[in-house]
Amino acid sequence: MFDGVHLGHQSVLNYIKNIAKEEKGKTAVMTFSPHPRLVLNPEADFRLLTILDEKISLFEKFSVDYLFIQEFSKEFSQLSSEEFIQNILVNQLNIHALVIGYDQHFGKNRELNYENLKIQSKKLGFKLYQLPAVSENQEIISSTKIRNKLLKGSISEANEWLGYPFILSGKVIEGDKIGRTLGFPTANLEIDPHKIHPTHGVYFVKVKIDNNQFYGMMNIGMRPTVNGVKKQVEVHILNFDQDIYGKIIEVSFYERVRNEIKFSSLEELKNRLSIDKMETIKFFNL
Ligand SMILES: Cc1cc2nc3c(=O)[nH]c(=O)nc-3n(C[C@H](O)[C@H](O)[C@H](O)COP(=O)(O)O)c2cc1C
Ligand SMILES: Nc1ncnc2c1ncn2[C@@H]1O[C@H](COP(=O)(O)OP(=O)(O)OP(=O)(O)O)[C@@H](O)[C@H]1O
């Protein structure tokens, strides 16, 4: 699935790039969309580290030549490993070498393991490589564990395992317009419903708008001070006063600053926002 395209995934990408260079071939990655867990278990509130567009940009950034996005459906999930390998990998993609990760299985119910795949690869005439797991402090890096870190607010740990700062992108929509009366206008974001959000709280962030970079502080939460009724994802961008309603902006997370607090007045909230701003300036050395 390559959700997040984390350091473990990046090791697979580096390896295929080396093989492709040696063998004068092209690199290709296959991933599925939607995520199988969304198809096979639609009731669960499963959230992604990267929605499809973000994953595509990451593969572009890591210079993969081709990306195959196989539509994942209940029907597709019933394909046997033999059918998957013969019909898709061999007949359609004409693979020369297949690189798989340490825990890769194929086909219906993950039935095919490395040993059986080795036999198939000899029969069908492609090379097979399996890579070791990438670990940090004896823990294997995985998308699931990174999701859990974000849900706990451990941004720096999640970033370390991703190999880049976690990104939330979204369209700027109208908020309650209270922020500007406090001297801290915020861009409120509408985010893909399948995207994971870090836990409620305040974060130091960078913001990309039309390829320009800014610094900011983001709040994810209910805004208890103003008796908010719905979760908001909003960012105050430093030294910025343009109208960006309707634009898609990209927020990268650097550190979690604090929990959201219910202040007893807007004045207290405003004072705290001024402290947060000074800390943002200090954090980014601005
Ligand atoms: C960096 C930052 C920190 C915030 N911290 C809190 C907080 O601790 N408690 C709270 O109730 N609201 C907090 N807010 C949310 C404000 O209440 C919110 O920005 C304000 O109500 C304006 O909302 P509006 O953009 O919908 O007008 C924070 C907002 C930002 C940008
Ligand atoms: N830590 C890792 N080191 C090396 N390869 C990895 C690592 N994690 C995943 N891979 C490989 O990357 C490919 C995509 O894996 P997959 O999407 O299952 O990642 P994952 O992080 O284990 O996800 P999840 O936590 O959802 O199971 C597979 O071939 C897998 O074996």
Side-chain angles (χ1 to χ4, degrees), residues 18-33:
N18 286 337
I19 297 188
K21 206 165 155 194
E22 270 170 30
E23 312 231 357
K24 298 193 172 48
K26 295 277 188 196
T27 55
V29 169
M30 175 176 275
T31 186
F32 303 107
S33 180

Side-chain angles (χ1 to χ4, degrees), residues 12 15-16 19 28 30 84-85 89-90 93 95-101 104 106 112 114 117-118 120-121 126-131:
V12 177
Y15 196 83
I16 59 173
I19 297 188
M30 175 176 275
F84 176 71
I85 293 167
L89 298 185
V90 174
L93 305 185
I95 58 167
H96 172 70
L98 180 66
V99 177
I100 58 170
Q104 187 76 55
F106 280 99
L112 190 71
Y114 177 73
L117 188 58
K118 188 88 213 162
Q120 292 266 334
S121 74
F126 58 84
K127 293 185 184 175
L128 180 68
Y129 304 88
Q130 185 173 37
L131 302 187

Side-chain angles (χ1 to χ4, degrees), residues 135-180:
S135 305
E136 205 161 282
N137 301 326
Q138 270 130 43
E139 256 206 280
I140 294 180
I141 294 176
S142 83
S143 310
T144 308
K145 291 181 199 159
I146 298 175
R147 284 184 210 113
N148 291 337
K149 287 179 187 297
L150 289 173
L151 294 175
K152 280 195 322 208
S154 307
I155 286 291
S156 37
E157 285 182 23
N159 287 350
E160 240 172 76
W161 282 19
L162 284 170
Y164 61 89
F166 174 73
I167 289 170
L168 261 188
S169 44
K171 185 159 122 189
V172 180
I173 52 168
E174 300 215 354
D176 296 337
K177 303 199 163 77
I178 304 167
R180 62 188 64 176

